Amino acid sequence: MGNSNINSFFKIFCFVLVVFIELFKTASAVEFTDDIYFNGFFTLDLSVTDTNLGLLSNSDKLKTYEKHKPSFRNSIIGGQLTYQLYDNLTTVAQAKLHATSDDGVTGKVDWSYLSYDFGNDIKVRAGKFQIPFMQGIELRNIGFSRLWARPLIPSSGAGGYQSFVGAEVLKHISLTNGNWDFQISAGKAEHGLKTIDNKNIQLISARYQQDSFWIRGAILHAESSIYTESGKSLDDSAKVLMASFEAEYSISSLIFNAGYSINKADIAPDDTTYYFSTGYQFNNITPFVYLSRKNQHFVSFARQPSEMNPGSSLQPPPPQSLPPTPDGDFDVYSLATGFRFNFSEQYSLKMQAEHIKERDNAGIKNRGNTDGTAFSLVIEGVF
């Protein structure tokens, strides 16, 4: 972002933040009915890199930073409105406002659904959802929910899938020593690439929690049609099978987080992600260190010449003149350290230095390897 864009976005962000907080205060003061609830969240992120570098985003797309140019483009603000229609029927909507890659400002509704409580800790929901594959996907927008300055889950979400429209069944089981939460989801998903059109998606997840730890696992299956950029069908029934595992464990003042996911796909690249983090709590300050890796494995396939218009005298180029498809591994390694300071129950300050290595052995970017470091100062909160 240039200086004028930085100032413009910062003014818009601050204006919206003040309006949200004032509205929230007013709602509390006038005591809105028990049927209506509003919760807000924000992240004000000032980051700078020592080379041209892409950083994981608080919204839903990778943010690209130019060398030595500070930017607020990873900032975000949003809110969730809950309306209790009847005793057992609730409607929920969550939206956000954030910067775009071309220095503009855009908004998006991430959640919009109806929920019916059948009793016995069983709920059914229908509408639009973030895919509950890993915790970092569902909570990507809410930076206050995590220890680090940025998400550890790739901006592409679950193999490129971020959200879906469909239905979910949730079951909660309370035990003497802990709690189980089960979730079954099905619907039609939205993929980040225009060349992939999802037909259906199914997911099942389970989470077990006690006072000192939680552990969560999920399995996802999807079927999609995949096309070339010119619209030619490559596979009308491409399958994807994914699995994930995450855990958090606290002992004394130490806190550990770990996650792993694997994706096996037809035509689209297979990918593997893992992360590990540890932090130590000193009252309201928690220093931390984490490492992560994302691997995408590409397998080359033969390109087809572009379709020609009927009757055209032009001939398609010979196959050998077409650029090759990616083949091999593309890896992104990240090592970061920093701290989180909770200066109230609702607000926190974070500082983080992150070294990122990209190893492109697949020929995706045609620029070889990249090494860079990002420095971030972040203020986050919920209200």
Side-chain angles (χ1 to χ4, degrees), residues 169-224:
V169 179
L170 294 85
K171 171 63 178 177
H172 177 79
I173 301 176
S174 297
L175 304 174
T176 303
N177 297 322
N179 303 293
W180 279 99
D181 286 286
F182 297 94
Q183 188 169 355
I184 300 175
S185 308
K188 181 178 173 63
E190 177 185 353
H191 198 278
L193 297 177
K194 295 180 180 180
T195 54
I196 298 180
D197 182 23
N198 178 252
K199 291 184 172 182
N200 57 74
I201 189 170
Q202 305 86 35
L203 180 142
I204 183 169
S205 70
R207 173 186 171 116
Y208 179 72
Q209 182 169 357
Q210 291 189 3
D211 292 338
S212 61
F213 78 93
W214 58 261
I215 185 171
R216 185 178 187 271
I219 297 175
L220 179 152
H221 174 269
E223 182 180 4
S224 302

Side-chain angles (χ1 to χ4, degrees), residues 28 37 69 73 124 151 206 219 242 256 286-287 312 320 371:
S28 299
Y37 309 90
K69 289 188 177 181
R73 66 178 49 180
V124 173
I219 297 175
M242 304 183 68
F256 300 95
T286 306
S312 171
Q320 61 268 22
D371 287 77

Side-chain angles (χ1 to χ4, degrees), residues 204-374:
I204 183 169
S205 70
R207 173 186 171 116
Y208 179 72
Q209 182 169 357
Q210 291 189 3
D211 292 338
S212 61
F213 78 93
W214 58 261
I215 185 171
R216 185 178 187 271
I219 297 175
L220 179 152
H221 174 269
E223 182 180 4
S224 302
S225 297
I226 301 181
Y227 304 89
T228 64
E229 293 183 359
S230 62
K232 182 179 179 61
S233 176
L234 292 175
D235 193 330
D236 191 48
S237 184
K239 307 293 194 304
V240 175
L241 183 62
M242 304 183 68
S244 68
F245 169 85
E246 289 183 288
E248 178 177 292
Y249 178 63
S250 299
I251 177 171
S252 185
S253 297
L254 284 168
I255 180 170
F256 300 95
N257 290 86
Y260 176 82
S261 72
I262 186 169
N263 167 18
K264 296 295 183 181
D266 295 336
I267 298 185
D270 296 340
D271 67 58
T272 303
T273 300
Y274 66 75
Y275 68 85
F276 177 79
S277 167
T278 182
Y280 190 89
Q281 296 176 320
F282 295 97
N283 296 320
N284 294 327
I285 299 178
T286 306
F288 62 83
V289 60
Y290 78 75
L291 60 87
S292 67
R293 179 198 178 197
K294 178 178 174 61
N295 167 266
Q296 289 183 292
H297 181 70
F298 294 81
V299 177
S300 180
F301 61 89
R303 283 189 189 272
Q304 298 296 321
S306 300
E307 296 90 343
M308 306 302 295
N309 294 328
S312 171
S313 61
L314 298 176
Q315 297 297 317
Q320 61 268 22
S321 69
L322 297 173
T325 59
D327 186 57
D329 291 311
F330 180 79
D331 292 284
V332 180
Y333 301 89
S334 176
L335 176 63
T337 185
F339 70 86
R340 169 175 173 154
F341 171 52
N342 293 326
F343 53 87
S344 79
E345 293 183 354
Q346 295 176 280
Y347 305 102
S348 68
L349 170 71
K350 300 175 185 176
M351 293 186 68
Q352 179 173 301
E354 179 181 8
H355 185 69
I356 298 171
K357 295 194 303 182
E358 294 183 356
R359 295 295 178 261
D360 185 2
N361 297 312
I364 299 175
K365 298 185 177 181
N366 296 317
R367 68 178 189 182
N369 301 327
T370 302
D371 287 77
T373 302

Side-chain angles (χ1 to χ4, degrees), residues 47-275:
S47 294
V48 63
T49 61
D50 64 358
T51 187
N52 294 342
L53 198 62
L55 300 182
L56 294 181
S57 168
N58 292 315
S59 52
D60 55 2
K61 293 186 182 299
L62 196 71
K63 301 295 186 183
T64 302
Y65 288 75
E66 296 181 47
K67 180 179 179 179
H68 295 160
K69 289 188 177 181
S71 175
F72 286 104
R73 66 178 49 180
N74 210 8
S75 301
I76 187 171
I77 187 168
Q80 178 176 288
L81 185 66
T82 303
Y83 179 36
Q84 190 84 30
L85 296 171
Y86 301 101
D87 289 343
N88 296 330
L89 185 63
T90 305
T91 181
V92 177
Q94 180 176 304
K96 65 190 177 189
L97 184 71
H98 63 92
T100 62
S101 58
D102 57 357
D103 298 340
V105 179
T106 187
K108 184 179 181 181
V109 176
D110 289 317
W111 303 77
S112 180
Y113 63 87
L114 285 170
S115 176
Y116 188 82
D117 189 343
F118 284 89
N120 295 319
D121 291 321
I122 298 177
K123 292 183 180 180
V124 173
R125 310 192 301 191
K128 180 180 180 180
F129 307 91
Q130 295 296 285
I131 292 177
F133 182 65
M134 299 186 82
Q135 181 168 271
I137 298 176
E138 292 184 287
L139 297 175
R140 177 182 298 279
N141 300 158
I142 307 175
F144 189 79
S145 66
R146 57 179 169 264
L147 180 60
W148 322 282
R150 281 180 293 279
L152 302 187
I153 307 303
S155 300
S156 58
Y161 298 104
Q162 294 278 3
S163 62
F164 75 100
V165 175
E168 297 185 328
V169 179
L170 294 85
K171 171 63 178 177
H172 177 79
I173 301 176
S174 297
L175 304 174
T176 303
N177 297 322
N179 303 293
W180 279 99
D181 286 286
F182 297 94
Q183 188 169 355
I184 300 175
S185 308
K188 181 178 173 63
E190 177 185 353
H191 198 278
L193 297 177
K194 295 180 180 180
T195 54
I196 298 180
D197 182 23
N198 178 252
K199 291 184 172 182
N200 57 74
I201 189 170
Q202 305 86 35
L203 180 142
I204 183 169
S205 70
R207 173 186 171 116
Y208 179 72
Q209 182 169 357
Q210 291 189 3
D211 292 338
S212 61
F213 78 93
W214 58 261
I215 185 171
R216 185 178 187 271
I219 297 175
L220 179 152
H221 174 269
E223 182 180 4
S224 302
S225 297
I226 301 181
Y227 304 89
T228 64
E229 293 183 359
S230 62
K232 182 179 179 61
S233 176
L234 292 175
D235 193 330
D236 191 48
S237 184
K239 307 293 194 304
V240 175
L241 183 62
M242 304 183 68
S244 68
F245 169 85
E246 289 183 288
E248 178 177 292
Y249 178 63
S250 299
I251 177 171
S252 185
S253 297
L254 284 168
I255 180 170
F256 300 95
N257 290 86
Y260 176 82
S261 72
I262 186 169
N263 167 18
K264 296 295 183 181
D266 295 336
I267 298 185
D270 296 340
D271 67 58
T272 303
T273 300
Y274 66 75
Y275 68 85

